[in-house]
Amino acid sequence: AALASDMREKCYNKISAGEEPVHSSYERFYRAMLLDVQALRAATPGRDVVVSHAPHLRVMRDFCRAELGGDVVVLVINAPTVVLQERVKIRLEAFATAQDKSLEEFVMQAQIPGKDTFEERMEAMMSNVKGFSEAVERDEPNTFELTVTPDAGPDFVLASACTFLGISFTHLQQP
C-alpha cells in the first residue's frame, strides 16, 4: 500500500499536474510489481502473462521492458479526455439509477467543499478526469497503441486489443 500511495503522490498526481514524476518512485513501484510477474513467468514456462496496468509515460514503459526483457509486448490504450469524461458521466448516471436518484440528486449528496451547485460539482469532477498516457513512439519495441473513440464500445476495444496482442477474440466470448 505504501508503494501505491507513493506512486500516486509522486507520479500520477505530478503527471496530472503536468509535472515530471519522481523516477525513484515509479522504479520502486514497478520493481516490486515486476518481481511478482517474473516469479509467475518462472512458475509457468511457455505461457504468456498479461498484466493490466498503465505505465503512462515512455520512461515507465522503457523501465518495465528493461526489467522484463525483450519479449514484452505493451499495449497502450489511449482515450481523449472528452471520451473519458463522457464515460465517467455514464457511470455516475448508472450509480444514481441504482440508488433510484437522478444524476443531480446523486451528485448533490457528495461532500465537495466550496462547490454548492450541481454544475460546479460536475465541473469539479470532470476537471479531474484526464488522459495520462504518452503516445507510443515509432522506436518503442513491441509497443502498440489503441486509440479509443467516442463510438468505440467495450466489445470493440476488447476485440482490437486482442488483435494487437495476437489473442483469438472468439475464445474470450461467453455463450
Side-chain angles (χ1 to χ4, degrees):
L3 287 175
S5 178
D6 187 61
M7 178 77 153
R8 182 180 55 255
E9 290 175 28
K10 295 181 181 171
C11 293
Y12 295 137
N13 290 352
K14 287 190 174 290
I15 294 168
S16 180
E19 300 171 16
E20 280 292 312
V22 177
H23 291 256
S24 60
S25 178
Y26 70 74
E27 288 174 356
R28 281 191 306 275
F29 176 86
Y30 285 123
R31 197 168 279 120
M33 182 180 81
L34 298 176
L35 283 174
D36 290 340
V37 172
Q38 290 166 331
L40 182 58
R41 288 171 104 187
T44 57
R47 299 201 51 200
D48 292 330
V49 175
V50 176
V51 178
S52 177
H53 183 73
H56 297 293
L57 304 179
R58 162 94 191 242
V59 293
M60 294 173 170
R61 297 190 295 264
D62 287 344
F63 181 82
C64 292
R65 275 191 287 273
E67 292 291 305
L68 292 174
D71 63 340
V72 172
V73 176
V74 176
L75 175 62
V76 176
I77 302 175
N78 266 331
T81 301
V82 67
V83 172
L84 296 174
Q85 290 172 335
E86 183 57 33
R87 292 185 180 188
V88 166
K89 184 177 177 191
I90 290 168
R91 284 194 297 277
L92 289 172
E93 289 169 340
F95 295 147
T97 300
Q99 293 182 13
D100 286 329
K101 296 182 177 184
S102 68
L103 177 60
E104 185 170 351
E105 290 169 323
F106 180 76
V107 168
M108 292 307 290
Q109 75 186 4
Q111 300 297 317
I112 305 177
K115 307 297 180 194
D116 299 324
T117 68
F118 170 71
E119 291 77 15
E120 289 173 331
R121 290 176 181 211
M122 284 299 292
E123 184 179 326
M125 286 189 283
M126 292 301 125
S127 69
N128 287 322
V129 178
K130 298 177 179 141
F132 288 133
S133 294
E134 284 183 334
V136 171
E137 297 178 26
R138 287 180 176 249
D139 64 337
E140 285 190 73
N142 295 328
T143 304
F144 306 96
E145 183 170 12
L146 170 58
T147 301
V148 178
T149 60
D151 59 330
D155 289 339
F156 174 81
V157 173
L158 177 59
S160 298
C162 288
T163 299
F164 276 115
L165 298 172
I167 299 170
S168 174
F169 182 62
T170 57
H171 290 99
L172 298 174
Q173 293 176 331
Q174 299 294 322

